[in-house]
Structure formats: structure tokens, C-alpha cells
Amino acid sequence: MENNTIQLMPPNEHWYWSVKKKCWYPSVTTVTSYLPKGKFFEKYLAEQDSYEDAKRILKEAGERGTHCHEASEVLDKGGELKYGLCGLNDDEYKLMIGYVNWHKKYTPEIFQDKIELPLISDKMKLGGTADRIYNIDGKLTLFDLKTSKSAIYDSHWIQVACYSEMYEELYKTQIDQVAILRLTPKRKDGYEYVVRSREEWKMDYKQFKNTYETMVYLNGGKEFKPNVIEVPEILTLNTVIKNSDVV
């Protein structure tokens, strides 16, 4: 029987497949990782007891972000989050209260086909996923949800700027503004909400392009390709199995 092979992507990396070009593109967040988050973030990590503690904090932050994104998607699609049954720990559940509070105040128009929207640009040779495209007060808004504990970083702004540029390229529709909602228990309503105009996000996109050039330079100008591992789709043993009573 023929055994087909499958391709395993590198762990902790995000790649997007271009159907048209038949190749993998790095994610927008791969590019933004080359822009430092700032001295306060670096100081916070440096204050940890060990490198392992710092890695643990980053891992927990990633898991928190994933869980809250999944929970927000449930809510935006008309579902509910029931305490103890929704898969969120206490801290994550409290963060989602901030998400509900924001929705009640700003009442965005939700487009069901624009939730966790994949964006793949053959022009930019990049891929990414926009959290939401909302209509907020009559303005088409590219919206991003964050759960970072300390701040909205510059890397976040160049990320949504690139998504906006990609969206306009693919959908031929103008993004009027970008918005970042950071869920945090340190704020009275449970969130920090910042909007940037079209003129502002266009300036942020220029910084994204500069960061992209830095990434290419630091990687020796080489084309970005994932270190894909090809493995058999089915694993079997070619051994003869006998009953122990015949030995």
C-alpha cells in the first residue's frame, strides 16, 4: 500500500500558503518581531529570575492571547461564554469582561465573513490574519485584539498597518482607520482602546516596510522559506507479531 507523505511546519512559526504562487510566505508578525518592543518590555524580562522564567512568561502570554482570541470569536458569532465551561481560567475570563464592556460602549457592526480573516498577498509575499473588520461609527475599521500586560507596542501598530494595506490590495476597499483593543484589568472598564486614522496608519506602514528591509538585511538577503520536514502520513511496523506461547 502506498504511503503518502505530509509536510510538518516548524514549531512556533506562522507561514501562509499562496495558492497562486504555490509557495509559503512568512507572516506579518515574523516581520514585526524585528522591531524592538521597547526598553520597558526588555527591562521586565531582564528582571525575571532566569532565562527559563522569561521563556515561561512569553509562553503564558501567547496562550492567554490565543484563548482570548478564541473566546472573542465565540462572542462575535453570537455565542456565549459560561464561567467554568468556556475553557478560560479566571484571569482570562476577567479579561473577556473588558471585551464585552467595549462592545457595549462602541457597538461595532460585525461582519461574519470578516472574523479572523486570512490575508495573503503575492505582491508583498506575506500572510497574516486580521482579527476583525468592523464598521464603527460609519468607518471601516481594521480591528486588532491584544492581551499584552503593559502596553500597546509600536510593533502592534505596524502590524495592523500592514494588514490594512493587504486588505485594500485584496478587497479594493478603503480602510478608514485602525483600532487596537488591549484587554487589561488595570483599567476601570477592563480595556485600553486606541484608534489611528488613515493618515496615521499609512505612516505606520512606512515603518513596517523599513522593518521588513531590516529583517531581509539581518538574514543575509536570503529568500524566506520554512524548514519543512517531510514525514510519512502513516506509521507502521514491518515486524511479525507472534503469540508468546509459541516462543
Side-chain angles (χ1 to χ4, degrees):
M1 182 176 65
E2 182 180 355
N3 192 353
N4 297 322
T5 60
I6 59 174
Q7 293 183 333
L8 298 182
M9 301 300 292
N12 304 319
E13 291 185 16
H14 298 287
W15 294 84
Y16 291 80
W17 179 253
S18 168
V19 175
K20 182 178 180 180
K21 297 295 185 179
K22 306 296 182 184
C23 65
W24 293 100
Y25 293 146
S27 67
V28 170
T29 52
T30 297
V31 180
T32 62
S33 67
Y34 284 80
L35 186 68
K37 289 187 176 181
K39 62 181 181 181
F40 296 108
F41 177 77
E42 293 170 0
K43 181 175 181 293
Y44 173 70
L45 290 182
E47 288 174 345
Q48 305 311 308
D49 293 335
S50 66
Y51 174 69
E52 286 71 25
D53 283 342
K55 284 179 63 178
R56 175 183 53 78
I57 289 171
L58 292 176
K59 181 182 178 182
E60 290 175 353
E63 292 174 348
R64 180 173 65 249
T66 297
H67 295 163
C68 288
H69 272 80
E70 291 172 348
S72 72
E73 188 174 352
V74 170
L75 292 174
D76 275 30
K77 290 183 176 179
E80 65 177 16
L81 301 177
K82 187 170 184 180
Y83 178 78
L85 299 177
C86 58
L88 301 175
N89 61 35
D90 286 359
D91 290 339
E92 293 164 349
Y93 192 84
K94 286 186 286 187
L95 287 178
M96 294 311 300
I97 294 173
Y99 187 74
V100 172
N101 289 341
W102 177 84
H103 262 269
K104 288 180 179 178
K105 181 174 181 178
Y106 290 92
T107 61
E109 181 182 356
I110 302 171
F111 304 115
Q112 289 296 315
D113 60 338
K114 300 295 191 298
I115 297 175
E116 295 295 321
L117 179 67
L119 300 169
I120 300 173
S121 169
D122 292 312
K123 178 182 177 181
M124 299 182 192
K125 297 183 178 180
L126 289 171
T129 303
D131 288 348
R132 304 287 189 277
I133 302 294
Y134 284 144
N135 181 344
I136 302 177
D137 294 330
K139 294 183 178 181
L140 196 64
T141 306
L142 191 139
F143 171 94
D144 201 67
L145 180 67
K146 299 297 183 187
T147 57
S148 49
K149 286 191 173 183
S150 55
I152 297 173
Y153 301 113
D154 290 338
S155 59
H156 296 158
W157 289 116
I158 67 172
Q159 175 188 351
V160 294
C162 185
Y163 288 165
S164 298
E165 196 75 21
M166 295 168 76
Y167 183 87
E168 291 193 347
E169 173 200 338
L170 297 170
Y171 289 88
K172 312 303 179 186
T173 304
Q174 178 174 301
I175 293 294
D176 300 315
Q177 61 183 16
V178 296
I180 294 180
L181 175 67
R182 184 174 72 91
L183 303 180
T184 171
K186 295 181 180 179
R187 297 293 180 100
K188 179 182 177 182
D189 294 323
Y191 63 83
E192 175 187 9
Y193 179 56
V194 184
V195 175
R196 287 193 177 179
S197 67
R198 178 175 177 80
E199 292 75 19
E200 290 173 312
W201 76 251
K202 281 288 188 179
M203 290 296 295
D204 290 331
Y205 180 63
K206 291 181 180 179
Q207 180 57 56
F208 176 86
K209 290 194 292 184
N210 292 336
T211 306
Y212 184 91
E213 292 300 322
T214 298
M215 179 187 73
V216 172
Y217 170 76
L218 292 175
N219 284 276
K222 299 177 183 177
E223 182 180 355
F224 278 78
K225 294 182 179 180
N227 294 317
V228 176
I229 301 175
E230 197 166 272
V231 299
E233 186 177 15
I234 300 173
L235 297 177
T236 60
L237 296 177
N238 294 323
T239 56
V240 178
I241 301 177
K242 296 182 179 180
N243 294 327
S244 59
D245 57 359
V246 300
V247 178

